[in-house]
Amino acid sequence: WLTISVVTIIPGLIFMGIGGLKPNVEFRGGYEAAYTLNDASVSAPQIVQALDRAGFEGANVKLGTAKDDKKVAYITLPPSKELEDAGTNASALIAEKAGIQGTPAGFTRVGPTVQQETIRNAYLGVIYSTLLIVLFLTIRFGLALGNLVLGLRFGLSAILALVHDVLVVLGISAIVGYFMGWEVSALFITSMLTVIGFSVHDTIVIFDRIRENLRLPRKGEEFGHLIDRSVTKSFARSLNTSMTVIATLIILLVVGTATPDLKLFCVTMLAGILSGTYSSIFNASPILWLWDNVVRRTRGEE
């Protein structure tokens, strides 16, 4: 099961390494302009090439669909003195340099202060949520089993399984970013934190069954068999809970999203829920079992 997890993560790591994970204007600063295109045949690479020729390097272009089925181009550019000097005419200047004809559909400028605050809040959100999850699980299982060290073992096992889910979500984002040009935004952080909460929730269900069985063990039963028994009893519940969310996300992805940011939100949520369900069943419990083996070998059976 752990081998399957590693094989799943590797493609995403490759695409992350070649620049597939693209931060949007909120994280790198600069400008984002949207245009409803008159010519639906215009492609994202054509717009990027036109901007490169005009001296606006580092552009990223995403294509979406408006409510009237017209194509919308979302152009992200890094900070530029020329655009800064253009002021209110920056949107028109971008359209001119990109060689596109269309109606402006939105324009955003993010300065360095907002950029730094967004990055800092994203890091703090992930760090604080992880620490609070570990603390909660340590207290929850530590008090139930009469040993906070054992509770910490449960908490850290859940977090180690969660690392798999985070890497899967980042990898999927890098893959779609490489092929579709979709960018990571603050909405992506929202999906990431939601996946973290959902995945740990699913893990707690299984760990709670392990805790119940630990308090009423069968005579002569090994810990590994107790875990297998606990997972088997929780398996159907985990799948049923996840399928209700997966069905909703698939519908949202197919018919309920218009902008690339919302599509990426649904894609990352879908990947995270699938990965979280898998890791809760096939990663978290084996990690707990391996940890127990290491402790028994180094400190003795008692």
Side-chain angles (χ1 to χ4, degrees):
W1 301 118
L2 297 179
T3 301
I4 293 174
S5 296
V6 172
V7 171
T8 304
I9 291 170
I10 288 175
L13 294 178
I14 293 173
F15 279 94
M16 287 170 62
I18 60 178
L21 201 62
K22 302 178 184 295
N24 82 334
V25 67
E26 293 171 301
F27 289 106
R28 68 172 184 170
Y31 306 84
E32 181 177 81
Y35 307 91
T36 303
L37 302 177
N38 297 334
D39 184 3
S41 64
V42 176
S43 66
Q46 289 175 337
I47 298 175
V48 172
Q49 290 171 7
L51 289 168
D52 284 342
R53 289 194 298 268
F56 289 90
E57 298 180 350
N60 183 67
V61 179
K62 304 171 289 186
L63 296 177
T65 306
K67 60 182 179 181
D68 54 2
D69 291 332
K70 286 190 175 182
K71 186 179 287 187
V72 179
Y74 299 87
I75 302 174
T76 304
L77 286 164
S80 164
K81 187 177 184 308
E82 187 173 352
L83 290 174
E84 187 72 28
D85 294 340
T88 56
N89 296 321
S91 179
L93 179 61
I94 293 172
E96 178 187 343
K97 299 299 183 181
I100 57 177
Q101 300 292 326
T103 305
F107 182 77
T108 303
R109 177 189 178 277
V110 174
T113 302
V114 176
Q115 173 203 6
Q116 292 169 10
E117 183 178 351
T118 303
I119 294 173
R120 182 176 62 86
N121 290 342
Y123 280 123
L124 290 178
V126 174
I127 292 171
Y128 287 159
S129 62
T130 302
L131 291 176
L132 287 173
I133 287 170
V134 172
L135 179 63
F136 168 73
L137 292 180
T138 299
I139 295 173
R140 172 71 180 90
F141 289 97
L143 293 178
L145 297 172
N147 189 325
L148 288 179
V149 175
L150 290 178
L152 182 63
R153 194 182 303 174
F154 275 86
L156 292 179
S157 295
I159 294 302
L160 288 173
L162 184 61
V163 171
H164 164 267
D165 304 331
V166 172
L167 290 176
V168 167
V169 171
L170 289 173
I172 291 293
S173 302
I175 291 172
V176 296
Y178 183 84
F179 289 106
M180 306 290 291
W182 294 354
E183 296 172 322
V184 172
S185 65
L187 197 58
F188 171 82
I189 303 301
T190 302
S191 68
M192 182 70 78
L193 292 174
T194 305
V195 166
I196 287 173
F198 190 95
S199 176
V200 173
H201 164 267
D202 215 20
T203 302
I204 289 174
V205 171
I206 295 176
F207 278 4
D208 223 32
R209 185 57 61 92
I210 294 173
R211 177 190 59 80
E212 291 174 0
N213 289 333
L214 278 173
R215 298 180 70 179
L216 297 170
R218 294 178 179 176
K219 186 176 181 179
E221 183 179 39
E222 293 182 350
F223 186 47
H225 187 271
L226 184 145
I227 289 180
D228 287 342
R229 186 158 55 90
S230 304
V231 170
T232 302
K233 289 183 178 179
S234 309
F235 192 87
R237 183 194 184 284
S238 295
L239 290 183
N240 291 335
T241 302
S242 299
M243 283 306 301
T244 57
V245 184
I246 290 169
T248 305
L249 288 171
I250 290 175
I251 292 172
L252 281 173
L253 184 61
V254 174
V255 300
T257 53
T259 66
D261 284 347
L262 285 174
K263 285 186 181 296
L264 180 60
F265 174 82
C266 291
V267 167
T268 52
M269 281 284 291
L270 182 59
I273 298 302
L274 288 169
S275 174
T277 304
Y278 177 87
S279 69
S280 297
I281 298 171
F282 299 112
N283 285 354
S285 298
I287 289 172
L288 186 64
W289 176 78
L290 288 170
W291 196 331
D292 182 74
N293 277 355
V294 171
V295 172
R296 283 192 292 111
R297 289 173 183 173
T298 56
R299 300 180 59 187
E301 187 69 30
E302 292 184 3

